[in-house]
Each structure stands twice: as C-alpha cells, then as structure tokens.
Amino acid sequence: MEQLKLQPESVFDFFFQICEIPHGSKNEAQISAFLQNFGKELGYETIADEVGNVLIKKPAYPSYEDRKTIILQGHMDMVCDKRPDVEHDFTKDPIRTFVDGEWLKAQGTTLGADNGIGVAAAMAVLADKELKHGPVNCLFTIDEETGLTGAEMLTSEFLQGDILVNLDSEDEGEMFIGCAGGICNYAEFTHDWVAVPEGYFFLKVDINSLTGGHSGDDINKERANANKLMARFINRVAKKFDCYLCEISGGSLHNAIPRDASAVIAVPSADKESVRVEFNIFAAEIQNEFSATEPTARFTMQSTDAVANAIDRESAKKLLQSLQAVFNGVYAMSADMPGLVETSSNLASVKRVGENKLLVTASQRSSVESARDNVSDTVRAAFELGGAVVTTNGGYPGWKPNVKSEILKVACDTYKELFGADAKIKAIHAGLECGLFLEKAPGLDMISFGPTMRGVHSPDERLHIASTERWWRHLVALLENAPRK
C-alpha cells in the first residue's frame, strides 16, 4: 500500500503500519505482538498479560520527573465491516486507505481509525525522544468493540498511574468526562419446520444500503433499523395475505445500527403480484419517512427458488411480532446534560444459530445504571412474551462525570492557549473502557479526547485529517503541562 504523507507524519505513519496488520476484534494476536516488539526495540519496559493487553512504560523527560504519571490508553481492535460488493478478508488483507478531500477513508471497508489512530498517537509519543512529559505509560487493550474483555481482564499492575487519558473519542475539541454503560440481551427463538403447500410462490426480500452507524453515537440521528423495517413489512403482508416465513436475517454487530436485512417468504401464486405492489408501497412510505437520513436505502423483491419447508406459523408470528414490538432507539434524554442521550436500545441482529433456532441480539446503553437495567428488562419482556429464551450478559459500568478533574482543567487551558477557543466539555452515549478502569482504580483522574471521525463502525468510517493534526498538538501540550505530584 502506498504510504500517504499526511500531518502529523509520525502519527499517520504508525497508523498506516497498523492498517497493514489484521486486528479485528478477537483477532489481535498480531497487533499485540507488533506493539510488544515496538516497545522492546525502543528499550522501554514492556509488559503483556495472558489475553494480549500491552503496557509500555516511557520514563520522564529530564526535569519532568516531578509530574504525575499519565496513562495513555487506546484499544487495538477494530470493527470489521464491509460493503456487500467488496472482496476483503479482515483476517489477512490490509486496510486500503485513500484521501478524499479533507478525509482519510478506506476502500469499501471500515477504516479502523476507531481506535487505530489512538494507538498510533501513543506510539508516536513513545518514539519521540524530544517530547517533554512526565512518566508516561501507554496501555493498549484488546477486544473493546465486542465486549470490553481486555479492560475487564486488566490487573492493577496495568493501571499504576495518577491520570488516564483515553484516546478513543470522535470529535476534536471536545473533552469527554463521562460515558454510558451497556448491556446485551440475547433472545433465542425455537421453531418447527412445516411443509410449504403446493401453489405457493417464493419471494426474496432485501432491505439494504441503510446509513447504519454506531449504536451509541448515532442512535439519536433518526436512522432506520433494517431489522425493524423487515419485521414491519412481513407483519404487514401477513395481515393481508396467507404468508409463510422461510428465513430471516439482518445486522451483524451488537454495537452497530443494522444496515441490511433479508428474508424469504412464500405466498399463494395468485397473490404474488399483489404482494409486489404492497412492497412497492411500503418502500415508498419508508423512503418518505426517512428521506432525510436514508437517501441511499434500497428495497428489492425478487422471485427465488422454492424451498420445501418454512418456519411454523405460530413461531413465525411470535418472532415477527416480538421484533416489531421490542423497543429500539432513544429511550430517554439526560436531564443533567442537555442534548445527551441517557438511555437507548438497538435491535442489532437476527441470525440463524441452529437447525431450528434463531438468535436475536439487542444492546442497551445508559449513563444511569438503574435506567440501563430498566430498558434491558423492557426489551427482555418483549422477547419473553414472544416465547424466546433470553440471556442477559453482565454488562459494563458507565463513567460518572467529574467536572472538578485536574487533567480536565489542563486540557481546557492548553486548548484555549493553542487555538484561542474554548474546548467543549461533554459526556458520550457510547461505551468507553473508562468505566471499567475506574472500577479497578477508583483514584484515577480521567478524560477522553480524539480527532474527528464520522461513520464509525460502518464502511463509511472516515477520519478528518486536519483535526488529527490539531488533536496531536493538543496531546503534546497536555503532556508537557501535566500536573505535578
């Protein structure tokens, strides 16, 4: 891959190196080894735990030994998603990057700037012998995107410091001091197979090319959910026509708003044209409803090969009604921070997991633990009323804001000095590892900040180049002005 020369050069050079290494969630062995070798080649104390988390300790610059120890933290893994027409194997192929105006993008896949650019910035700090700072420990965690298991498995040895600066936020000039906690419900629907009678016509229904996005950051942007739309359409057909559901699937990642869904239905041959008309009406209605947020949405229905069996009628009805009934979207806004989503839920995926089983995954978030548990119970109830066996994971904690944070003051003061503008102080509805860090090391003073990114967790992911340069300058100034012990 041709190396692009972007500023700050050192940060982008390390990012492009990361793009060459497969590092999808739960496939971080190569990137972990790469970082371990990097630290050792620099001559710094480098520690790795049994799951692959890496800690590299850089001593203070001369005369800065009296500064508090800062932990710079980012996660190694990336969300692996691509457009359906793109050939890409995330287990071996490099991410192919290109510049589009002010943005760095990938060719039909996620870019991995979440959080590869944070890892790259920490590497640039480690590699630069001239940067002025106190003791810096660079912490790189695994598997943030699919369960925060790296952060969860950390021992206290990896969190020995006074301040933690998380490099995993997505709006330059915004200092994040809190985040949502999260939880997931997994609903297993069991069904029987029944024979489709003679004289039925089979149709494949596809809803795709929706905008999608991050189920935390983008949940308030009125984007359509492909799974909700599919259930809505098939329930509509079932009210008017004799209909069998043969198969259904949609979405993939628990933390991404689903962009695509697919189903196969069987209807009496005499009704096939009426069903096509119904689908065209439905597509037009949805395109009108979501005209501002789903300009690229595609709705297709085509004939397909006959299949012998379909999901039994009662099970299909319960599944589809559960999918339509289950809550999806913003559940509550924060009363403390105007504009912040407090509580939400995302109907993330529907997929076959056995001969006669379908698994539905829905993820819930909230900055208030009791509210998180309430919306989780609400989602669980909808699935259980539909006859599903529901498992709820243990979830992860949120991060309560501390407006009196010492490092927050440094961050805001240095931003003002550099750019002549006030940094914005915010909390984020997405989950960060900070809640788990605080649970393990309650005395940590924490902030999170990063360059501007858009389309995260989707093939539209892009990194704003100029904001990355500003963010790097800010990070350097923050380290130089770190509080004294």
Side-chain angles (χ1 to χ4, degrees), residues 276-429:
R276 290 185 192 274
V277 170
E278 194 68 38
F279 183 70
N280 290 337
I281 294 170
F282 173 79
E285 290 174 351
I286 298 303
Q287 287 167 333
N288 179 59
E289 280 183 36
F290 294 93
S291 59
T293 58
E294 300 296 348
T296 63
R298 294 178 63 244
F299 298 81
T300 58
M301 174 181 279
Q302 55 190 345
S303 60
T304 189
D305 294 338
V307 295
N309 297 315
I311 297 170
D312 72 273
R313 289 281 183 84
E314 186 63 21
S315 297
K317 179 180 179 181
K318 288 180 177 179
L319 168 68
L320 292 166
Q321 289 186 343
S322 292
L323 292 177
Q324 187 156 8
V326 71
F327 184 82
N328 178 83
V330 176
Y331 195 79
M333 299 296 290
S334 172
D336 297 321
M337 298 189 73
L340 174 68
V341 177
E342 179 201 88
T343 307
S344 72
S345 184
N346 175 48
L347 181 58
S349 65
V350 180
K351 57 186 175 183
R352 181 157 297 285
V353 292
E355 176 64 24
N356 64 337
K357 293 182 186 295
L358 288 160
L359 182 68
V360 180
T361 300
S363 64
Q364 294 78 55
R365 301 176 187 267
S366 183
S367 51
V368 178
E369 188 170 355
S370 59
R372 181 201 71 179
D373 293 344
N374 176 55
V375 72
S376 173
D377 289 344
T378 300
V379 168
R380 183 181 182 119
F383 288 142
E384 288 181 339
L385 285 169
V389 175
V390 184
T391 302
T392 305
N393 70 3
Y396 57 89
W399 165 26
K400 185 178 179 179
N402 173 20
V403 294
K404 297 181 179 179
S405 159
E406 190 174 26
I407 194 61
L408 174 63
K409 184 178 187 308
V410 172
C412 291
D413 288 348
T414 51
Y415 192 85
K416 179 80 169 182
E417 291 169 8
L418 284 170
F419 306 116
D422 292 325
K424 298 177 182 178
I425 300 173
K426 290 194 170 185
I428 190 171
H429 188 57

